Amino acid sequence: MPPNLTASNETDPSQNSHYNFPALIFGILLIVIIICGNLLVCLSVWTEKALKTTTNYFIVSLAVADLLLAVLVLPLFVYAEFQGGVWSLNAVLCDALMTLDVMLCTASIFNLCAISVDRFIAVSIPLNYNRRHVDQRQIILLSATWIFALAVASPVIFGINKVHNRDPTLCKLEDNNYIIYSSVCSFFIPCPIMVVLYFGMFRGLRKWEEARKAKLKNSMQACRKYHSGHSLPPLPPLPPPIIERDLADVKLEELSRYSHPDCPFPKEYKRDSIQTVAFPDGKYCQAAPKKKRAKINGRERKAMKVLPIVVGAFLFCWTPFFVVHITRALCDACDISPQLMSIVTWLGYVNSALNPIIYTVFNTEFRNFFHKFLHSCC
C-alpha cells in the first residue's frame, strides 16, 4: 500500500500505476452475476408453483441477503480495491459499510442455519410440520435470522469502530474484541450446529425411505400370496420398477399397474403413507392402527439434497476469511499481509454468486425456470 496516500482525494499522477484494474473488472462482473442470479432465484419461487415450498422460502431469504450484499457492500469494496486497498471516503461511510457487511454475511449463515433447523423439524416431527404454507414457526425463524444478524452488527452502528489514532486510509473493523465476538457469533457457533442438524436430518430421511420401501415390498408380497391361493392373473415379479426408483416420485397411476381388480391396494395406501395390510378370509383389512406419519414429497427431498452442496460451498468460501480474520485479532505477532486479507475476502464474496449456479445444476425445477426465462428474454 503506498505510504503517501491519505483519506483525501488529492493524488499525484504517479499513483495511477497503483490502480487495480483487474479487481475493478472482476468486481463489476461479480456484482452483475450476483444480482442477476439471485433475482432469478427470487422470481422463480415467486412465479412457479412447483417451487413454492417452505425450503425455497428460506432460499429466497438467503438470495435477498446476497442481493443486498451486491448492491450495498460490493460497490464500495470494489472501489477501495481498485484504489489499491486505500479508503478515500469518509469514516461515517466506512462504518456504514462495515455494519452492512457484518449484518449481511451473518444473515447468510443464519439463513443456512435456519434452513437446517426447519429441515430437521420436517424430518424428525413431520406431523407438526406445515408443508403447504409458511407457518408461525417458519416466520419466527426467518424473522430471528435478520434480527440476530442486525444485533451482531449493531455495535458498529453505536460507534465501536471509533477509536483513537484510527487510520483514515483503511476501512476495517478496529476493535479486536468485537472482531472475536462477531466471528464467534456469525460463524464459529452456527456452523457446527448446522452441520450436526444436517447430519441428523439425512440420517432420519434415510431411515424414513428404508421404512417406506420395506412397507411397499411387504404389501406386494402379501398380494402375491393372496394371488397364489386364487385363480387370478400373476403379478409382475418383485420388486417392480417403482421400488428401484425414488419412491417419493411414484404416482398412483404407476401403483395401479401392479394392482388387480380382485386385489386392490387399500385406499389408505394410495391416499397417504404406506400402510401394512393383512388378508383374513381373502379380503383386505387394515392392520392395527399405528401412528400416522406425514409424507415428505419428492420436491422437498430434492431440495434437501441441494442444501448440503449450498452449505459446503458456503463453508469453503467463508472459512478461510473467518480463520484469518480471528487470527489477526488474537495474534498481534502474526504477520497477515493485506494481500491475504484481500484474497480471502474476495473468496467470501464469490459465494454469493455460487448459489444460483448450484440451484441450476442440481435442481430440475430451478433449471427449467432459468432456461425458460432466459429463452424468453433472448
Side-chain angles (χ1 to χ4, degrees), residues 4-68:
N4 59 342
L5 291 178
T6 64
S8 68
N9 289 321
E10 297 177 4
T11 59
D12 58 67
S14 64
Q15 291 173 352
N16 289 338
S17 60
H18 298 289
Y19 288 162
N20 192 342
F21 286 97
L24 178 65
I25 296 170
F26 179 75
I28 292 173
L29 288 175
L30 183 63
I31 291 172
V32 171
I33 293 172
I34 292 173
I35 292 176
C36 293
N38 287 285
L39 272 178
L40 280 175
V41 171
C42 296
L43 283 174
S44 61
V45 177
W46 179 264
T47 59
E48 290 292 312
K49 185 177 180 181
L51 291 171
K52 291 183 183 296
T53 66
T54 51
T55 301
N56 288 341
Y57 289 128
F58 284 96
I59 287 176
V60 167
S61 181
L62 179 61
V64 169
D66 291 335
L67 272 173
L68 292 175

Side-chain angles (χ1 to χ4, degrees), residues 2 12 15 17 47 53 85 96 116 119 122 133 187 192 247 293-294 321 356:
D12 58 67
Q15 291 173 352
S17 60
T47 59
T53 66
S116 68
R119 294 295 86 196
H133 307 286
F187 188 81
L247 291 180
R293 292 189 60 84
F321 171 82

Side-chain angles (χ1 to χ4, degrees), residues 277-346:
V277 294
F279 302 96
D281 301 325
K283 295 182 180 179
Y284 281 106
C285 67
Q286 189 173 349
K290 294 184 180 180
K291 185 178 179 180
K292 183 179 178 182
R293 292 189 60 84
K295 183 179 178 180
I296 300 174
N297 61 41
R299 287 180 189 142
E300 286 181 311
R301 293 179 65 258
K302 289 176 182 177
M304 288 181 186
K305 291 179 180 179
V306 176
L307 293 176
I309 303 170
V310 175
V311 173
F314 185 92
L315 294 178
F316 174 80
C317 291
W318 280 109
T319 300
F321 171 82
F322 281 100
V323 170
V324 172
H325 199 50
I326 201 169
T327 300
R328 187 180 66 173
L330 292 172
C331 180
D332 294 331
C334 298
D335 183 18
I336 298 176
S337 67
Q339 290 78 15
L340 178 60
M341 280 303 305
S342 179
I343 290 171
V344 296
T345 305
W346 276 112

Side-chain angles (χ1 to χ4, degrees), residues 1 15 18 21-22 43 99 111 124 130 139 158 165 171 174 271 292 304 311 360 378:
M1 183 182 303
Q15 291 173 352
H18 298 289
F21 286 97
L43 283 174
T99 302
N111 270 300
S124 302
N130 186 353
I139 292 174
F158 296 117
N165 301 321
C171 184
E174 301 287 346
R271 185 174 61 245
K292 183 179 178 182
M304 288 181 186
V311 173
T360 303
C378 301

